[in-house]
């Protein structure tokens, strides 16, 4: 799993092909999403410019994880529907699980969002990692 995550961070398209074909990697993809959302939630709580209101940090982190899992599943469904129902080609062959696995591993770089806790540069690091994740998501799809 760690090797796959490192390859995904390097934006190697071959790793997305590998996890797409590996039905046993769905749980790994889910774990990647959880780890990345934990890192993101912790970083957001630690950023001084974030207004967390009266919510406890634990509730905010749990909320971040739940939201990330929902968005992951929904994005996989949207990508599946758009790719296979709205704009299929003669070579189009995909199912929700394949997209969920690739999109899950695209979140690998999100673990680095924990560095958003760094003073002064944390917000910039967080933004760069967010853009990196977006690029990985495009490659995954």
């Amino acid at each position: 799993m760690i090797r796959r995550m490192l390859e995904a961070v390097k934006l190697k398209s071959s790793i997305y092909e590998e996890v797409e074909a590996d039905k046993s990697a769905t749980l790994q993809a889910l774990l990647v999403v959880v780890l990345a959302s934990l890192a993101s939630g912790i970083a957001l709580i630690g950023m001084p410019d974030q207004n967390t209101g009266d919510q406890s940090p634990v509730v905010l982190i749990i909320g971040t994880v739940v939201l990330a899992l929902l968005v992951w599943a929904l994005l996989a469904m949207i990508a599946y529907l758009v790719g296979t129902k709205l704009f299929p080609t003669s070579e189009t062959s995909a199912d929700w699980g394949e997209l969920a696995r690739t999109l899950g591993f695209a979140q690998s770089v999100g673990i680095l969002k924990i560095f958003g806790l760094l003073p002064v540069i944390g917000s910039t690091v967080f933004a760069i990692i967010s853009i990196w994740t977006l690029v990985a998501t495009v490659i995954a799809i």
Side-chain angles (χ1 to χ4, degrees), residues 17-45:
E17 296 291 333
E18 180 182 318
V19 297
E20 177 185 26
D22 183 1
K23 293 181 189 275
S24 69
T26 305
L27 186 57
Q28 291 178 0
L30 182 138
L31 184 57
V32 171
V33 173
V34 169
L35 292 172
S37 62
L38 284 171
S40 183
I42 291 168
L44 285 171
I45 288 170

Short mmCIF file of all heavy atoms in Angstrom, two decimals, residues 17-45:
data_model
loop_
_atom_site.label_atom_id
_atom_site.label_comp_id
_atom_site.label_asym_id
_atom_site.label_seq_id
_atom_site.Cartn_x
_atom_site.Cartn_y
_atom_site.Cartn_z
N GLU A 17 -3.55 2.56 -13.00
CA GLU A 17 -3.96 1.38 -13.75
C GLU A 17 -3.90 0.14 -12.87
O GLU A 17 -4.79 -0.71 -12.92
CB GLU A 17 -3.07 1.19 -14.99
CG GLU A 17 -3.16 2.30 -16.01
CD GLU A 17 -4.48 2.33 -16.74
OE1 GLU A 17 -5.14 1.28 -16.86
OE2 GLU A 17 -4.87 3.43 -17.19
N GLU A 18 -2.85 0.06 -12.06
CA GLU A 18 -2.68 -1.10 -11.17
C GLU A 18 -3.80 -1.20 -10.14
O GLU A 18 -4.40 -2.25 -9.96
CB GLU A 18 -1.32 -0.99 -10.46
CG GLU A 18 -1.02 -2.14 -9.53
CD GLU A 18 0.31 -1.96 -8.82
OE1 GLU A 18 1.29 -1.54 -9.47
OE2 GLU A 18 0.36 -2.24 -7.59
N VAL A 19 -4.10 -0.09 -9.46
CA VAL A 19 -5.14 -0.16 -8.42
C VAL A 19 -6.53 -0.27 -9.04
O VAL A 19 -7.44 -0.84 -8.42
CB VAL A 19 -5.07 1.02 -7.41
CG1 VAL A 19 -3.79 0.99 -6.63
CG2 VAL A 19 -5.29 2.35 -8.05
N GLU A 20 -6.68 0.25 -10.24
CA GLU A 20 -7.96 0.09 -10.94
C GLU A 20 -8.28 -1.39 -11.14
O GLU A 20 -9.41 -1.83 -10.95
CB GLU A 20 -7.91 0.80 -12.29
CG GLU A 20 -9.16 0.63 -13.12
CD GLU A 20 -9.04 1.24 -14.50
OE1 GLU A 20 -7.92 1.37 -15.03
OE2 GLU A 20 -10.09 1.59 -15.06
N ALA A 21 -7.27 -2.16 -11.48
CA ALA A 21 -7.46 -3.58 -11.77
C ALA A 21 -7.49 -4.46 -10.52
O ALA A 21 -8.00 -5.58 -10.57
CB ALA A 21 -6.35 -4.06 -12.70
N ASP A 22 -7.00 -3.96 -9.41
CA ASP A 22 -6.89 -4.75 -8.18
C ASP A 22 -8.11 -4.54 -7.29
O ASP A 22 -8.17 -3.60 -6.50
CB ASP A 22 -5.61 -4.37 -7.44
CG ASP A 22 -5.38 -5.21 -6.20
OD1 ASP A 22 -6.20 -6.11 -5.90
OD2 ASP A 22 -4.38 -4.95 -5.51
N LYS A 23 -9.08 -5.44 -7.41
CA LYS A 23 -10.31 -5.31 -6.62
C LYS A 23 -10.05 -5.36 -5.11
O LYS A 23 -10.83 -4.83 -4.33
CB LYS A 23 -11.31 -6.39 -7.02
CG LYS A 23 -11.84 -6.23 -8.42
CD LYS A 23 -12.84 -7.31 -8.75
CE LYS A 23 -13.21 -7.29 -10.21
NZ LYS A 23 -14.23 -6.41 -10.59
N SER A 24 -8.95 -5.96 -4.70
CA SER A 24 -8.64 -6.03 -3.28
C SER A 24 -8.09 -4.71 -2.73
O SER A 24 -7.89 -4.57 -1.53
CB SER A 24 -7.63 -7.16 -3.00
OG SER A 24 -6.37 -6.83 -3.54
N ALA A 25 -7.86 -3.72 -3.60
CA ALA A 25 -7.30 -2.44 -3.17
C ALA A 25 -8.36 -1.43 -2.75
O ALA A 25 -8.01 -0.31 -2.35
CB ALA A 25 -6.44 -1.85 -4.29
N THR A 26 -9.62 -1.79 -2.77
CA THR A 26 -10.67 -0.83 -2.40
C THR A 26 -10.54 -0.42 -0.93
O THR A 26 -10.66 0.77 -0.60
CB THR A 26 -12.07 -1.42 -2.67
OG1 THR A 26 -12.13 -1.82 -4.04
CG2 THR A 26 -13.16 -0.40 -2.40
N LEU A 27 -10.29 -1.37 -0.06
CA LEU A 27 -10.11 -1.05 1.36
C LEU A 27 -8.88 -0.18 1.55
O LEU A 27 -8.89 0.75 2.37
CB LEU A 27 -10.02 -2.33 2.19
CG LEU A 27 -9.99 -2.14 3.70
CD1 LEU A 27 -11.21 -1.38 4.20
CD2 LEU A 27 -9.90 -3.49 4.40
N GLN A 28 -7.83 -0.45 0.80
CA GLN A 28 -6.63 0.38 0.88
C GLN A 28 -6.96 1.82 0.45
O GLN A 28 -6.51 2.78 1.08
CB GLN A 28 -5.52 -0.17 -0.01
CG GLN A 28 -4.93 -1.47 0.45
CD GLN A 28 -3.87 -1.99 -0.51
OE1 GLN A 28 -3.57 -1.37 -1.54
NE2 GLN A 28 -3.31 -3.15 -0.19
N ALA A 29 -7.73 1.96 -0.61
CA ALA A 29 -8.11 3.29 -1.09
C ALA A 29 -8.91 4.03 -0.02
O ALA A 29 -8.69 5.22 0.21
CB ALA A 29 -8.91 3.18 -2.39
N LEU A 30 -9.81 3.32 0.63
CA LEU A 30 -10.60 3.92 1.71
C LEU A 30 -9.68 4.38 2.83
O LEU A 30 -9.84 5.48 3.37
CB LEU A 30 -11.62 2.91 2.24
CG LEU A 30 -12.53 3.43 3.33
CD1 LEU A 30 -13.95 2.97 3.09
CD2 LEU A 30 -12.07 2.95 4.68
N LEU A 31 -8.70 3.57 3.17
CA LEU A 31 -7.75 3.93 4.22
C LEU A 31 -6.94 5.16 3.83
O LEU A 31 -6.69 6.04 4.67
CB LEU A 31 -6.82 2.75 4.52
CG LEU A 31 -5.84 2.94 5.66
CD1 LEU A 31 -6.55 3.27 6.97
CD2 LEU A 31 -4.99 1.68 5.84
N VAL A 32 -6.56 5.27 2.57
CA VAL A 32 -5.84 6.45 2.11
C VAL A 32 -6.70 7.70 2.30
O VAL A 32 -6.23 8.73 2.79
CB VAL A 32 -5.41 6.31 0.64
CG1 VAL A 32 -4.86 7.64 0.10
CG2 VAL A 32 -4.38 5.21 0.48
N VAL A 33 -7.96 7.61 1.95
CA VAL A 33 -8.88 8.75 2.10
C VAL A 33 -8.99 9.13 3.58
O VAL A 33 -8.94 10.31 3.94
CB VAL A 33 -10.28 8.43 1.51
CG1 VAL A 33 -11.27 9.54 1.83
CG2 VAL A 33 -10.17 8.22 0.01
N VAL A 34 -9.11 8.14 4.45
CA VAL A 34 -9.21 8.42 5.89
C VAL A 34 -7.93 9.10 6.39
O VAL A 34 -7.99 10.10 7.11
CB VAL A 34 -9.51 7.13 6.69
CG1 VAL A 34 -9.34 7.35 8.18
CG2 VAL A 34 -10.92 6.64 6.38
N LEU A 35 -6.77 8.56 6.03
CA LEU A 35 -5.51 9.13 6.50
C LEU A 35 -5.32 10.57 6.00
O LEU A 35 -4.91 11.45 6.75
CB LEU A 35 -4.34 8.26 6.05
CG LEU A 35 -4.24 6.89 6.71
CD1 LEU A 35 -3.14 6.05 6.05
CD2 LEU A 35 -3.99 7.01 8.21
N ALA A 36 -5.63 10.79 4.73
CA ALA A 36 -5.49 12.14 4.17
C ALA A 36 -6.45 13.12 4.83
O ALA A 36 -6.09 14.27 5.11
CB ALA A 36 -5.70 12.11 2.67
N SER A 37 -7.66 12.67 5.12
CA SER A 37 -8.63 13.57 5.75
C SER A 37 -8.26 13.83 7.21
O SER A 37 -8.51 14.92 7.72
CB SER A 37 -10.05 13.03 5.61
OG SER A 37 -10.20 11.79 6.26
N LEU A 38 -7.68 12.84 7.88
CA LEU A 38 -7.18 13.08 9.24
C LEU A 38 -6.10 14.15 9.23
O LEU A 38 -6.11 15.07 10.06
CB LEU A 38 -6.65 11.79 9.86
CG LEU A 38 -7.66 10.78 10.34
CD1 LEU A 38 -6.97 9.47 10.73
CD2 LEU A 38 -8.46 11.33 11.52
N ALA A 39 -5.16 14.03 8.32
CA ALA A 39 -4.08 15.01 8.21
C ALA A 39 -4.64 16.40 7.91
O ALA A 39 -4.23 17.39 8.50
CB ALA A 39 -3.08 14.59 7.14
N SER A 40 -5.60 16.44 7.03
CA SER A 40 -6.22 17.70 6.65
C SER A 40 -6.96 18.32 7.83
O SER A 40 -6.83 19.52 8.11
CB SER A 40 -7.18 17.47 5.49
OG SER A 40 -7.75 18.67 5.06
N GLY A 41 -7.74 17.51 8.54
CA GLY A 41 -8.50 18.01 9.68
C GLY A 41 -7.59 18.52 10.79
O GLY A 41 -7.84 19.58 11.37
N ILE A 42 -6.53 17.79 11.07
CA ILE A 42 -5.58 18.22 12.10
C ILE A 42 -4.92 19.53 11.70
O ILE A 42 -4.79 20.46 12.51
CB ILE A 42 -4.54 17.12 12.37
CG1 ILE A 42 -5.20 15.92 13.04
CG2 ILE A 42 -3.39 17.65 13.22
CD1 ILE A 42 -4.34 14.66 13.08
N ALA A 43 -4.52 19.63 10.45
CA ALA A 43 -3.88 20.86 9.98
C ALA A 43 -4.85 22.05 10.04
O ALA A 43 -4.46 23.13 10.48
CB ALA A 43 -3.37 20.67 8.56
N LEU A 44 -6.08 21.83 9.64
CA LEU A 44 -7.06 22.93 9.68
C LEU A 44 -7.30 23.42 11.10
O LEU A 44 -7.43 24.62 11.34
CB LEU A 44 -8.37 22.49 9.04
CG LEU A 44 -8.36 22.42 7.52
CD1 LEU A 44 -9.64 21.77 7.01
CD2 LEU A 44 -8.19 23.80 6.91
N ILE A 45 -7.36 22.50 12.03
CA ILE A 45 -7.58 22.90 13.42
C ILE A 45 -6.40 23.70 13.94
O ILE A 45 -6.57 24.65 14.71
CB ILE A 45 -7.83 21.65 14.30
CG1 ILE A 45 -9.22 21.11 13.98
CG2 ILE A 45 -7.72 21.97 15.78
CD1 ILE A 45 -9.51 19.77 14.59
#
